[in-house]
Amino acid sequence: EAQVTQNPRYLITVTGKKLTVTCSQNMNHEYMSWYRQDPGLGLRQIYYSMNVEVTDKGDVPEGYKVSRKEKRNFPLILESPSPNQTSLYFCASSTNVAQETQYFGPGTRLLVL
Amino acid sequence: GQSLEQPSEVTAVEGAIVQINCTYQTSGFYGLSWYQQHDGGAPTFLSYNALDGLEETGRFSSFLSRSDSYGYLLLQELQMKDSASYFCAFRSNRDDKIIFGKGTRLHILP
Protein backbone atom coordinates (compact mmCIF):
# COMPACT_ATOMS: atom_id res chain seq x y z
CA GLU A 1 0.00 0.00 0.00
CA ALA A 2 1.35 3.42 -1.02
CA GLN A 3 1.73 5.53 2.07
CA VAL A 4 3.56 8.17 4.04
CA THR A 5 4.16 7.34 7.68
CA GLN A 6 5.05 9.68 10.52
CA ASN A 7 6.11 8.97 14.07
CA PRO A 8 5.20 9.79 16.70
CA ARG A 9 1.57 10.76 16.11
CA TYR A 10 1.36 12.68 19.37
CA LEU A 11 4.12 14.21 21.42
CA ILE A 12 4.27 16.32 24.55
CA THR A 13 7.67 17.73 25.41
CA VAL A 14 9.30 20.56 27.31
CA THR A 15 11.11 23.63 26.08
CA GLY A 16 14.65 22.92 24.96
CA LYS A 17 14.48 19.13 24.77
CA LYS A 18 15.62 18.03 21.33
CA LEU A 19 13.20 15.89 19.38
CA THR A 20 12.92 14.22 15.99
CA VAL A 21 9.78 13.43 14.03
CA THR A 22 10.34 10.72 11.46
CA CYS A 23 8.77 10.56 8.01
CA SER A 24 9.00 7.72 5.55
CA GLN A 25 7.40 7.08 2.15
CA ASN A 26 7.29 3.90 0.07
CA MET A 27 6.46 5.42 -3.32
CA ASN A 28 10.01 6.25 -4.46
CA HIS A 29 9.08 9.94 -4.56
CA GLU A 30 11.77 12.53 -5.08
CA TYR A 31 10.05 15.54 -3.51
CA MET A 32 9.33 15.58 0.21
CA SER A 33 8.06 18.37 2.44
CA TRP A 34 7.31 19.24 6.02
CA TYR A 35 4.38 21.51 6.87
CA ARG A 36 2.98 22.95 10.01
CA GLN A 37 -0.72 23.67 10.33
CA ASP A 38 -2.03 26.24 12.76
CA PRO A 39 -5.65 27.44 13.12
CA GLY A 40 -6.46 30.10 10.56
CA LEU A 41 -3.05 29.91 8.91
CA GLY A 42 -3.45 26.91 6.65
CA LEU A 43 -0.46 24.74 5.78
CA ARG A 44 2.92 26.40 5.78
CA GLN A 45 5.94 24.70 4.29
CA ILE A 46 8.86 24.38 6.70
CA TYR A 47 11.47 22.59 4.56
CA TYR A 48 11.45 20.63 1.36
CA SER A 49 13.77 18.27 -0.43
CA MET A 50 13.87 17.57 -4.14
CA ASN A 51 16.12 14.54 -3.81
CA VAL A 52 18.72 12.83 -1.64
CA GLU A 53 21.13 15.29 -0.02
CA VAL A 54 19.17 18.27 -1.41
CA THR A 55 17.15 20.33 1.08
CA ASP A 56 15.77 23.88 0.95
CA LYS A 57 14.00 26.25 3.29
CA GLY A 58 10.29 26.75 2.95
CA ASP A 59 8.40 29.72 4.33
CA VAL A 60 8.84 29.00 8.05
CA PRO A 61 12.20 27.21 8.59
CA GLU A 62 13.35 28.95 11.78
CA GLY A 63 13.90 26.52 14.64
CA TYR A 64 13.82 23.41 12.46
CA LYS A 65 16.35 21.18 10.71
CA VAL A 66 15.93 18.37 8.22
CA SER A 67 18.08 15.80 6.49
CA ARG A 68 17.65 13.59 3.43
CA LYS A 69 20.22 10.83 3.57
CA GLU A 70 17.94 8.26 1.94
CA LYS A 71 15.22 8.78 -0.63
CA ARG A 72 12.45 7.33 1.53
CA ASN A 73 13.18 9.19 4.79
CA PHE A 74 12.92 12.86 5.67
CA PRO A 75 13.15 13.47 9.43
CA LEU A 76 12.25 16.81 11.03
CA ILE A 77 14.49 17.87 13.90
CA LEU A 78 13.69 20.45 16.55
CA GLU A 79 17.01 21.10 18.29
CA SER A 80 15.56 23.29 21.03
CA PRO A 81 11.77 23.31 20.86
CA SER A 82 9.86 26.34 22.08
CA PRO A 83 6.15 26.77 22.87
CA ASN A 84 5.56 28.61 19.57
CA GLN A 85 6.38 25.35 17.80
CA THR A 86 3.30 23.74 19.27
CA SER A 87 1.42 22.74 16.15
CA LEU A 88 0.15 19.98 13.88
CA TYR A 89 2.90 18.76 11.55
CA PHE A 90 2.47 16.97 8.25
CA CYS A 91 5.01 15.27 6.07
CA ALA A 92 4.20 14.90 2.38
CA SER A 93 5.79 13.39 -0.71
CA SER A 94 5.32 13.67 -4.45
CA THR A 95 7.11 13.03 -7.70
CA ASN A 96 9.18 15.81 -9.23
CA VAL A 97 7.02 16.23 -12.30
CA ALA A 98 4.93 19.37 -12.67
CA GLN A 99 1.65 17.68 -11.79
CA GLU A 100 2.60 17.01 -8.26
CA THR A 101 -0.03 15.09 -6.34
CA GLN A 102 1.15 15.30 -2.79
CA TYR A 103 0.55 12.37 -0.47
CA PHE A 104 0.34 13.38 3.16
CA GLY A 105 1.24 11.49 6.28
CA PRO A 106 -1.32 11.23 9.09
CA GLY A 107 0.14 14.15 11.04
CA THR A 108 2.02 14.65 14.30
CA ARG A 109 0.45 16.74 17.00
CA LEU A 110 3.18 18.41 19.06
CA LEU A 111 2.75 20.26 22.34
CA VAL A 112 5.77 22.09 23.74
CA LEU A 113 5.39 23.14 27.38
CA GLY B 1 5.58 37.68 -2.57
CA GLN B 2 3.67 34.52 -3.34
CA SER B 3 0.27 33.95 -1.82
CA LEU B 4 -3.21 32.53 -2.34
CA GLU B 5 -6.46 33.98 -1.06
CA GLN B 6 -9.65 32.03 -0.48
CA PRO B 7 -12.78 32.67 1.58
CA SER B 8 -12.53 31.41 5.12
CA GLU B 9 -16.01 29.84 5.15
CA VAL B 10 -18.72 28.87 2.72
CA THR B 11 -22.15 27.42 3.51
CA ALA B 12 -24.32 25.42 1.11
CA VAL B 13 -27.28 23.06 1.14
CA GLU B 14 -27.11 19.32 0.63
CA GLY B 15 -27.69 18.45 -3.02
CA ALA B 16 -26.75 21.92 -4.24
CA ILE B 17 -23.67 23.22 -6.06
CA VAL B 18 -20.97 25.32 -4.42
CA GLN B 19 -17.97 27.17 -5.80
CA ILE B 20 -14.86 27.92 -3.76
CA ASN B 21 -12.73 30.67 -5.24
CA CYS B 22 -8.98 31.11 -5.08
CA THR B 23 -7.00 34.12 -6.23
CA TYR B 24 -3.24 33.99 -6.22
CA GLN B 25 -0.09 36.01 -6.56
CA THR B 26 3.08 34.48 -7.92
CA SER B 27 5.94 35.13 -10.31
CA GLY B 28 5.41 31.71 -11.87
CA PHE B 29 3.96 28.33 -11.02
CA TYR B 30 3.37 24.92 -12.56
CA GLY B 31 -0.34 24.66 -11.89
CA LEU B 32 -3.07 25.00 -9.28
CA SER B 33 -3.94 22.12 -6.96
CA TRP B 34 -6.87 21.54 -4.64
CA TYR B 35 -6.88 19.47 -1.45
CA GLN B 36 -9.61 18.38 0.94
CA GLN B 37 -9.10 17.96 4.65
CA HIS B 38 -11.64 16.53 7.07
CA ASP B 39 -11.43 17.41 10.75
CA GLY B 40 -8.69 15.38 12.38
CA GLY B 41 -7.43 14.07 9.07
CA ALA B 42 -4.65 14.70 6.60
CA PRO B 43 -5.11 16.68 3.38
CA THR B 44 -5.96 14.57 0.34
CA PHE B 45 -5.51 15.57 -3.28
CA LEU B 46 -8.64 16.47 -5.27
CA SER B 47 -7.74 18.15 -8.53
CA TYR B 48 -5.02 19.87 -10.53
CA ASN B 49 -5.05 22.44 -13.36
CA ALA B 50 -1.89 22.90 -15.36
CA LEU B 51 -3.64 24.77 -18.17
CA ASP B 52 -6.48 27.25 -18.31
CA GLY B 53 -9.91 25.74 -18.34
CA LEU B 54 -12.03 23.23 -16.54
CA GLU B 55 -10.94 19.83 -15.22
CA GLU B 56 -13.70 17.46 -14.19
CA THR B 57 -13.35 14.54 -11.80
CA GLY B 58 -16.70 13.09 -10.85
CA ARG B 59 -18.67 15.53 -8.72
CA PHE B 60 -15.66 17.82 -8.41
CA SER B 61 -14.41 20.22 -11.08
CA SER B 62 -11.64 22.78 -10.96
CA PHE B 63 -11.01 25.80 -13.11
CA LEU B 64 -7.97 27.95 -13.78
CA SER B 65 -7.50 31.29 -15.51
CA ARG B 66 -3.85 32.33 -15.52
CA SER B 67 -4.64 35.70 -17.09
CA ASP B 68 -6.95 36.51 -14.15
CA SER B 69 -4.76 34.82 -11.48
CA TYR B 70 -7.87 32.98 -10.42
CA GLY B 71 -9.18 29.51 -9.97
CA TYR B 72 -12.09 27.77 -8.36
CA LEU B 73 -13.26 24.40 -7.14
CA LEU B 74 -16.81 23.40 -8.00
CA LEU B 75 -18.57 20.74 -5.97
CA GLN B 76 -21.84 19.38 -7.34
CA GLU B 77 -24.59 17.31 -5.74
CA LEU B 78 -23.27 18.17 -2.32
CA GLN B 79 -23.29 15.45 0.30
CA MET B 80 -22.90 15.79 4.05
CA LYS B 81 -19.55 14.01 3.79
CA ASP B 82 -18.25 16.96 1.73
CA SER B 83 -18.19 19.03 4.93
CA ALA B 84 -14.47 19.72 5.21
CA SER B 85 -11.80 22.32 4.61
CA TYR B 86 -10.58 22.91 1.07
CA PHE B 87 -7.18 24.32 0.16
CA CYS B 88 -5.79 25.67 -3.07
CA ALA B 89 -2.03 25.46 -3.59
CA PHE B 90 0.69 25.87 -6.14
CA ARG B 91 4.34 24.93 -6.59
CA SER B 92 6.53 27.81 -7.65
CA ASN B 93 8.47 27.21 -10.88
CA ARG B 94 11.13 29.62 -9.60
CA ASP B 95 12.19 27.91 -6.36
CA ASP B 96 9.93 24.81 -6.16
CA LYS B 97 8.37 25.93 -2.88
CA ILE B 98 4.78 24.87 -2.34
CA ILE B 99 2.40 27.54 -1.07
CA PHE B 100 -1.08 26.84 0.30
CA GLY B 101 -4.02 29.13 0.80
CA LYS B 102 -5.39 29.38 4.33
CA GLY B 103 -8.29 27.12 3.50
CA THR B 104 -12.05 27.38 3.10
CA ARG B 105 -14.28 25.66 5.60
CA LEU B 106 -17.35 24.25 3.82
CA HIS B 107 -20.48 23.87 5.93
CA ILE B 108 -23.33 21.82 4.47
CA LEU B 109 -26.87 22.21 5.71
CA PRO B 110 -29.37 19.36 5.45
Side-chain angles (χ1 to χ4, degrees):
Chain A
E1 180 193 354
Q3 61 181 348
V4 178
T5 57
Q6 294 178 227
N7 282 293
R9 295 288 313 279
Y10 304 91
L11 181 59
I12 301 174
T13 190
V14 295
T15 300
K17 187 175 180 184
K18 180 179 178 179
L19 66 92
T20 299
V21 185
T22 64
C23 172
S24 184
Q25 50 95 4
N26 63 1
M27 295 167 279
N28 201 37
H29 285 163
E30 294 86 9
Y31 192 107
M32 296 186 75
S33 284
W34 275 103
Y35 297 92
R36 62 176 290 172
Q37 186 172 30
D38 302 290
L41 296 179
L43 290 142
R44 294 181 291 167
Q45 193 177 46
I46 301 170
Y47 268 94
Y48 63 101
S49 168
M50 293 187 68
N51 218 320
V52 177
E53 301 292 359
V54 179
T55 62
D56 283 288
K57 295 178 180 178
D59 275 352
V60 287
E62 294 78 20
Y64 304 94
K65 285 175 56 176
V66 292
S67 68
R68 189 90 182 271
K69 293 186 172 61
E70 305 163 286
K71 198 171 188 180
R72 63 184 292 123
N73 296 324
F74 190 44
L76 178 70
I77 303 153
L78 284 73
E79 295 267 2
S80 183
S82 62
N84 65 11
Q85 292 179 300
T86 292
S87 188
L88 177 59
Y89 292 87
F90 287 103
C91 179
S93 74
S94 63
T95 64
N96 251 344
V97 298
Q99 182 170 350
E100 78 294 344
T101 300
Q102 288 191 92
Y103 296 85
F104 283 80
T108 295
R109 194 167 288 279
L110 172 66
L111 173 62
V112 183
L113 300 173
Chain B
Q2 305 190 95
S3 64
L4 302 99
E5 295 286 329
Q6 36 181 147
S8 57
E9 290 184 279
V10 170
T11 300
V13 178
E14 190 176 16
I17 300 173
V18 72
Q19 178 173 311
I20 298 173
N21 297 322
C22 174
T23 57
Y24 59 82
Q25 194 172 9
T26 180
S27 55
F29 70 113
Y30 294 111
L32 192 68
S33 298
W34 288 91
Y35 290 82
Q36 179 190 59
Q37 185 181 29
H38 286 101
D39 285 347
T44 55
F45 173 79
L46 286 178
S47 189
Y48 177 79
N49 293 75
L51 304 174
D52 283 7
L54 195 66
E55 290 286 338
E56 297 181 74
T57 311
R59 294 188 297 115
F60 295 170
S61 304
S62 58
F63 173 83
L64 175 63
S65 168
R66 286 177 181 263
S67 60
D68 295 321
S69 298
Y70 164 74
Y72 66 72
L73 179 70
L74 193 73
L75 295 82
Q76 303 182 75
E77 300 171 18
L78 284 171
Q79 301 174 11
M80 296 305 292
K81 68 178 182 179
D82 298 329
S83 295
S85 292
Y86 294 84
F87 296 88
C88 54
F90 63 68
R91 178 168 158 182
S92 166
N93 62 13
R94 186 164 55 88
D95 56 18
D96 286 298
K97 284 183 183 178
I98 295 177
I99 311 293
F100 277 79
K102 293 180 179 177
T104 299
R105 178 80 179 206
L106 174 61
H107 302 279
I108 299 178
L109 304 175

